[in-house]
């Protein structure tokens, strides 16, 4: 038998044998045990390799499909168990370097063009070679071949990210990097390794790492494998760069190059002759577009800058190397466009460009801080403030080109302040303006970063005991000419908390200096010009809110306070009353009789006067209670009260808009009003409320009359509930509910009024109903509330409208459930109808859609939580709802059958309906099983099984559910 096949070798080499036959013979020879050739495996491998090499050298003409089958044949051999066993058993199998060369050339071809025939077979051959050390020697013995391979593999991935072969490619990359890293660690010549990495791998590796970092391949098939390989390859890239560009042996070269300026002239000349310049070589390679797409190149440079600095610090950061570690920073920073472009081009950069580059600057500054690169004293004493000057220039650039919509911009400035507050102090006024007072920040993440920066300012200047210095700049910015109505409130809730924490620790004189400064600015720059000027009036309001925040944040004086501090406090209190509050009250008194409706400037002056009067009176009371040396200003509190009362006809005017930030003060004043005003004055307020709720007001272009009436009702509901005058308000409450019913019906016809009128009506109805059966005695008026709730639309709403309206209806229903149980028992169908509108609405909005965003789903989840909560409250009143429990379950499953809900929404609703199933007795369950339609019955069956499995069994033994 052996003789029959002995001519195979000659036939494979013969030009007379057809290639189809050669391939069949070669395949047969490899798999057959009956074919005996001396050194058969080596002969067949050499034949396949030689055929391909000869073809690609253009010395042999072959059809494309023959070439393809040759690659597949070679691949099958390389991956065969037979070859692996031979090698494992010690047989020597050699591959020629020419095979590595043609593999590299093919990968380069695939990378450079869209023609990718045989790509999978070539990559598979490469993988087979690299995964066996005995074969991988054709790459590892010649550095240039493995370097060339890695270079081409990286570019192939970068240029064809959508390729079907990408999974295979990453496996080959992983193997190739592993082999190269072994070689790199064994090299003894650091300069040669540096040259290899910079020359062959630096740019393609950085491009590939960038694409991996931005998640280019995370959405592909086999996501888990890809994520693991992506992470591994990314780590390997960093190891290759660190092991090549930042070797320990190169530190002396970096020092000589980067610290040249520090050396004497003679040493400098000598150094330049001998020096290897790794920094310049690396940076020139980084900024060179090379083979990279120009638009991609700029983002690759940006994302590489912080990586290179991190790797440099990982290699060389020790205390004695602080200076050389710093000197690389400006050179890398200059690679960013915000540093190297002219001003007008920097201005023209897009928001995404700024975002990318500022994230890099933030990372650089974090690295400086975490590695203790900047020592303020050492920099000033030993190094002529070279670091300080760089950070100053960076701060100037950031403040000059304000980017208040980018969270990283705020974080960069915060990091600079953390390094040394003097870095930003020369530009403190512009920083305060662009990052705080004039910044238009609404997006929550950006707001958080902004508040962290302002917090850092507060903390820093509090520690330095220079709070007046900070507020001098803040007040200067507030007093600058500006479109005041566009400015956001000076102090958010979070900033008020931060301010309080800082000011509580300050010595009294720091507070008194800041307080005096604020009064002086009000007195000098604002009050003289406020008349008729709404911008000035808004400035006055900002200053008043700031002063209120500061005074309510300071630690109160006590009997142990030194007398000079007490006396100074007394003087500042008198100044505030006489020179700031009194002029405002006088201004308001002068206009009291002249106008029935306040202009904007007068409204804001009134807000400021109320706020500061209230603040002054509170502080005066606190000082009087806690500090026996303090002497209250005689008669001042009655004066302020009397002045506040003289504003009552303004407050009662339906045309006046009451700002939310003065609402707590209004409650205080209204309580005072109930005590000190006459019955006639209070009746006038009641009359204005009822006039404001007249139906004709809804058809006017300006609905302020309605809104003011609603706000006055809310204020009165927050006042003390006893006394003759407030009783006259309780008497008209049913009348108010009736008026609100008609207004609501009309307002619901116009979608533009949903947020401005309908939601406040719902809030007011809920507040009125919460007063209980002792105030709303007539069941008819409670029943009217159901009419209001059923009239409000729940479909075709914007997310914010939906959220607010849903909450409004829920709160009103909850008020009825908790505070009007007698009425609810008589009107259970109306209650359940109103509630089931909410349930069906959540099911409709919570169904799985083709499109939708997470914000919408977040709102729906909040509403689903409210539904779950209402189910729990209904279950807690089990005796009232037992007879309706089966109908409630039936309504739920009927609706559930029509939609596919998001799992998170479904889970919340299920938790609620389980509590209603708790109320069902066996008869109810039997009724549901028999009476429901077939499709709905299946939905109920699944629900009931889940209920038994996950809820009933789990809760058994816990007793009856209580909310």
């Amino acid at each position: 038998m052996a003789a029959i096949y002995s001519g195979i070798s000659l036939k494979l080499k013969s030009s007379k044998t057809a290639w189809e036959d050669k391939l069949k013979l070669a395949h047969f020879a490899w798999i057959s045990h009956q074919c005996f050739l001396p050194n058969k495996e080596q002969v067949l491998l050499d034949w396949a390799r030689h055929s391909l090499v000869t073809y690609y050298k253009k010395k042999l003409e072959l059809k494309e499909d023959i070439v393809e089958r040759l690659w597949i044949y070679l691949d099958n051999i390389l991956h065969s168990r037979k070859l692996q066993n031979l090698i494992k058993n010690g047989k020597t199998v050699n591959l020629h370097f020419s095979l590595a060369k043609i593999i590299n050339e093919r990968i380069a071809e695939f990378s450079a063009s869209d023609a990718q025939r045989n790509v999978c077979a070539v990559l598979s051959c490469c993988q087979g070679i690299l995964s066996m050390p005995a074969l991988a020697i054709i790459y590892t013995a010649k550095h240039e071949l493995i370097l060339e391979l890695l270079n081409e593999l990286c570019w192939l991935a970068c240029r064809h990210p959508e390729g079907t072969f990408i999974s295979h490619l990453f496996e080959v990359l992983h193997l190739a990097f592993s082999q190269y890293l072994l070689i790199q660690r064994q090299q003894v010549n650091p300069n040669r390794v540096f040259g290899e990495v910079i020359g062959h791998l630096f740019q393609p590796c950085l491009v590939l790492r960038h694409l991996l970092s931005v998640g280019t391949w995370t959405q592909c098939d086999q996501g888990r494998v890809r994520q693991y390989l992506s992470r591994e390859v990314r780590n390997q890239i960093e190891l290759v760069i660190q092991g090549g560009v930042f070797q320990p042996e190169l530190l002396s070269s970096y020092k000589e190059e980067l610290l040249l300026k520090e050396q004497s002239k003679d040493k400098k000349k000598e150094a330049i002759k001998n020096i290897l310049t790794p920094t310049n070589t690396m940076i020139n390679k980084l900024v060179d577009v090379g083979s990279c797409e120009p638009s991609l190149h700029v983002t690759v440079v940006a994302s590489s800058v912080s990586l290179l600095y991190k790797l440099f610090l990982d290699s060389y950061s020790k205390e004695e190397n602080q200076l050389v570690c710093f000197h690389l920073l400006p050179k890398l920073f200059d690679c960013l466009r915000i540093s190297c472009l002219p001003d007008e081009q920097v201005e023209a950069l897009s928001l995404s460009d700024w975002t990318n580059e500022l994230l890099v600057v933030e990372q650089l500054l974090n690295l400086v801080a975490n590695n203790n690169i900047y020592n303020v004293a050492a920099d000033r004493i030993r190094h002529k403030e070279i670091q300080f000057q760089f950070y100053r220039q960076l701060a100037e650039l950031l403040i000059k080109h304000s980017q208040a919509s980018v969270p990283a911009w705020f974080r960069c400035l915060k990091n600079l302040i953390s390094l040394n507050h003097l870095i930003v102090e020369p530009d403190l006024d512009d920083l305060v303006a662009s990052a705080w007072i004039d910044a238009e920040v609404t997006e929550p993440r950006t707001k958080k970063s902004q508040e962290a920066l302002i917090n850092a300012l507060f903390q820093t200047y509090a520690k330095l005991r220079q709070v007046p210095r900070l507020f001098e700049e803040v007040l200067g910015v507030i007093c600058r000419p500006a479109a005041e109505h566009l400015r956001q409130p000076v102090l958010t809730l979070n900033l008020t908390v931060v301010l309080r924490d800082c000011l509580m620790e300050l010595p009294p004189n720091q507070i008194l200096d800041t307080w005096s400064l604020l009064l002086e600015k009000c007195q000098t720059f604002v009050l003289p010009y406020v008349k008729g000027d709404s911008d000035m009036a808004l400035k006055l309001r900002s200053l008043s809110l700031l002063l209120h925040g500061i005074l309510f944040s300071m630690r109160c004086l006590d009997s142990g306070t030194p007398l000079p501090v007490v006396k100074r406090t007394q003087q500042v209190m008198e100044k505030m009353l006489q020179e700031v509050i009194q002029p405002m009250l006088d201004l308001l008194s002068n206009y009291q009789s002249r106008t029935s409706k306040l202009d904007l400037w007068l409204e804001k002056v009134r807000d400021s006067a109320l706020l500061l009067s209230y603040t002054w009176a509170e502080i005066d009371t606190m000082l009087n209670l806690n500090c026996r040396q303090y002497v209250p200003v005689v008669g001042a509190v009655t004066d302020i009260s009397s002045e506040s009362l003289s504003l009552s006809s303004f407050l009662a005017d339906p045309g006046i808009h009451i700002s939310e930030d003065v609402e707590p003060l209004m409650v205080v004043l209204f309580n005072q009003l109930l005590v000190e005003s006459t019955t006639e004055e209070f009746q006038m307020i009641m009359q204005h409320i009822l006039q404001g709720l007249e139906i004709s007001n809804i058809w006017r272009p300006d609905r302020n009359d309605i809104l003011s009436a609603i706000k006055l009702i809310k204020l009165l509901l927050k006042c003390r509930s006893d006394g003759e005058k407030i009783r006259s308000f309780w008497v008209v409450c049913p009348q108010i509910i009736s008026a609100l019913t008609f207004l609501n019906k009309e307002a619901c016809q116009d979608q533009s009024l949903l947020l401005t009128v309908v939601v406040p009506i719902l809030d007011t109805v809920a507040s009125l109903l919460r007063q209980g059966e002792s105030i709303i005695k007539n069941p008819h008026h409670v029943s009217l509330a159901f009419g209001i709730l059923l009239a409000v639309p729940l479909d075709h709403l914007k997310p914010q409208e939906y959220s607010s309206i849903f909450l409004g209806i829920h709160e009103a229903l909850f008020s009825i459930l908790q505070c009007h149980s007698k009425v609810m028992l008589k009107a259970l169908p109306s209650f359940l109808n109103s509630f089931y509108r909410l349930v069906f609405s959540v099911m409709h909005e919570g169904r799985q859609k083709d499109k939708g965003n997470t914000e919408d789903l977040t709102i729906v989840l909040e509403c689903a939580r409210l539904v779950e909560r209402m189910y729990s409250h209904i279950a807690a009143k089990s005796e009232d709802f037992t007879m309706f429990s089966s109908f409630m379950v039936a309504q739920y499953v009927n609706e559930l059958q029509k939609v596919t809900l998001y799992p998170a929404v479904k889970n919340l609703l299920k938790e609620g309906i389980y509590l209603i199933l708790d109320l069902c007795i066996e008869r109810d369950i039997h009724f549901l099983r028999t009476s429901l339609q077939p499709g709905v019955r299946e939905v109920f069956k699944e629900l009931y099984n889940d209920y038994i499995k996950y809820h009933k069994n789990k809760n058994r033994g816990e007793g009856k559910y209580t909310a």
Side-chain angles (χ1 to χ4, degrees), residues 37 251 263 279 384 400 452 462 539 567 585 607 650 889:
L37 285 172
L251 176 59
Q263 298 171 358
T279 309
K384 300 177 184 174
K400 183 177 183 181
K539 282 189 199 302
K567 284 188 174 176
L585 294 172
D607 287 357
F650 283 120
V889 174

Side-chain angles (χ1 to χ4, degrees), residues 58-105:
K58 307 240 185 305
K59 292 181 181 175
L60 178 67
E61 283 189 22
L62 292 174
K63 290 179 182 174
E64 275 296 323
D65 69 313
I66 297 295
V67 176
E68 185 173 355
R69 286 166 67 186
L70 275 169
W71 278 115
I72 291 168
Y73 176 71
L74 181 62
D75 182 38
N76 288 338
I77 290 179
L78 290 169
H79 282 87
S80 68
R81 181 72 54 92
K82 183 179 180 183
L83 182 67
Q84 289 167 17
N85 289 337
L86 283 169
I87 291 171
K88 199 184 287 182
N89 294 330
K91 180 154 185 183
T92 303
V93 178
N94 295 316
L95 290 179
H96 196 270
F97 294 115
S98 58
L99 179 58
K101 201 161 176 36
I102 63 162
I103 287 174
N104 288 3
E105 287 167 1

Side-chain angles (χ1 to χ4, degrees), residues 23 79 171 174 190 209 261 291 300 320 380 389 441 468 480 502 531 572 627 629 633 661 738 797 941:
L23 282 163
H79 282 87
E171 289 169 20
H174 184 38
R209 183 193 171 275
K261 291 176 186 173
S291 307
V300 171
E320 64 270 21
R380 189 172 62 246
Q389 297 304 332
V441 181
R480 285 179 191 173
C502 289
K531 190 172 167 184
V572 179
C627 180
Q629 301 102 307
V633 182
D661 48 25
S738 298
L797 302 177
K941 185 179 174 184

Side-chain angles (χ1 to χ4, degrees), residues 592-652:
Q592 182 173 336
S593 55
R594 299 187 203 170
T595 179
S596 61
K597 191 167 183 176
L598 294 184
D599 292 336
L600 179 64
W601 76 269
L602 206 52
E603 186 187 318
K604 297 305 166 192
V605 171
R606 179 208 64 201
D607 287 357
S608 302
L610 287 169
L611 181 62
L612 291 186
S613 301
Y614 164 71
T615 305
W616 191 97
E618 286 286 314
I619 299 294
D620 185 69
T621 306
M622 289 301 292
L623 290 168
N624 192 29
L625 289 171
N626 290 293
C627 180
R628 64 172 179 269
Q629 301 102 307
Y630 178 81
V631 182
V633 182
V634 180
V637 182
T638 318
D639 289 347
I640 288 177
S641 301
S642 304
E643 292 289 356
S644 299
L645 288 175
S646 72
L647 300 175
S648 62
S649 61
F650 283 120
L651 300 179

Side-chain angles (χ1 to χ4, degrees), residues 466-477 514 517 521:
Q466 291 181 19
V467 168
R469 163 88 182 89
L470 172 62
F471 276 99
E472 191 169 5
E473 301 296 350
V474 174
L475 299 174
V477 172
T514 309
L517 201 60
K521 293 287 181 188

Side-chain angles (χ1 to χ4, degrees), residues 49 56 124 171 174 181 204 398 502 555 719 760 792 903:
R49 174 197 57 78
Y56 285 115
S124 190
E171 289 169 20
H174 184 38
L181 282 164
L398 292 175
C502 289
R555 196 191 304 149
C719 289
V792 180

Side-chain angles (χ1 to χ4, degrees), residues 358-392:
L358 286 169
L359 284 167
V360 175
V361 175
E362 181 194 3
Q363 287 160 3
L364 291 174
L365 291 171
N366 283 337
L367 287 166
V368 167
N370 295 339
N371 289 274
N372 299 315
I373 303 302
Y374 180 42
N375 180 307
V376 178
D379 183 53
R380 189 172 62 246
I381 296 162
R382 291 188 218 143
H383 307 299
K384 300 177 184 174
E385 294 195 322
I386 187 166
Q387 292 205 46
F388 178 78
Q389 297 304 332
F390 169 73
Y391 303 130
R392 266 295 298 131

Side-chain angles (χ1 to χ4, degrees), residues 471-528:
F471 276 99
E472 191 169 5
E473 301 296 350
V474 174
L475 299 174
V477 172
I478 291 174
C479 292
R480 285 179 191 173
E484 208 67 35
H485 62 286
L486 296 177
R487 283 179 164 172
Q488 294 182 352
V490 181
L491 290 178
T492 61
L493 179 62
N494 288 342
L495 286 181
T496 306
V497 172
V498 168
L499 184 66
R500 185 191 63 218
D501 292 344
C502 289
L503 298 187
M504 285 292 281
E505 301 306 315
L506 281 185
N509 277 325
Q510 285 273 303
I511 303 284
L512 289 165
D513 289 348
T514 309
W515 187 353
S516 300
L517 201 60
L518 256 158
L519 296 178
E520 186 190 318
K521 293 287 181 188
C522 282
Q523 198 185 349
T524 312
F525 292 100
V526 180
L527 278 173

